[in-house]
């Protein structure tokens, strides 16, 4: 009986670990898409989009709102390239 409880616990831990790893992949993919969008856009395009609401997927936004660790990882990854591009385009002082 205790052996089956251990197996169930192990399987549960593996499922949770897999979900966490998948979530990390989603954050990386979303961050890469944002970085690519900023790197490929011209300054005029970025200035025109400045006041438009983000067109990112609702699921990704919900994930970032609900998971502080995912939000930190996402922001840490995109901060430098996005802010550098915004600075180059004089969008931020």
């Amino acid at each position: 009986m205790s052996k089956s409880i251990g197996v169930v616990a192990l399987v549960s831990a593996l499922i949770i670990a897999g979900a966490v790893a998948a979530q990390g992949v989603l954050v990386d993919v979303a961050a890469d898409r944002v970085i690519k969008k900023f790197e490929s856009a011209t300054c005029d395009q970025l200035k025109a989009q400045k006041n438009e609401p983000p067109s990112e997927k609702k699921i990704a936004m919900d994930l970032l709102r609900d998971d502080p660790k995912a939000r930190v990882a996402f922001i840490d990854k995109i901060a430098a390239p996005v802010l550098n591009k915004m600075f180059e385009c004089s969008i931020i002082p």
Side-chain angles (χ1 to χ4, degrees):
M1 185 69 148
S2 66
K3 188 174 183 180
S4 63
I5 292 173
V7 170
V8 170
L10 177 63
V11 169
S12 297
L14 289 175
I15 290 171
I16 292 170
V20 169
Q23 188 177 43
V25 170
L26 290 175
V27 169
D28 285 342
V29 168
D32 290 341
R33 290 180 84 182
V34 170
I35 292 167
K36 184 177 178 182
K37 176 183 168 186
F38 271 82
E39 288 177 341
S40 64
T42 65
C43 291
D44 290 334
Q45 290 170 330
L46 291 177
K47 288 177 184 177
Q49 296 173 0
K50 182 179 175 184
N51 295 323
E52 293 178 13
S55 63
E56 300 301 321
K57 304 279 185 195
K58 182 180 180 345
I59 296 171
M61 296 304 291
D62 289 343
L63 168 70
L64 295 176
R65 281 190 191 99
D66 296 341
D67 187 346
K69 289 181 182 177
R71 183 174 52 247
V72 168
F74 179 81
I75 291 172
D76 285 349
K77 187 166 185 173
I78 70 160
V82 169
L83 289 175
N84 280 325
K85 181 70 174 199
M86 291 175 74
F87 186 79
E88 289 172 10
C89 294
S90 300
I91 294 173
I92 58 173

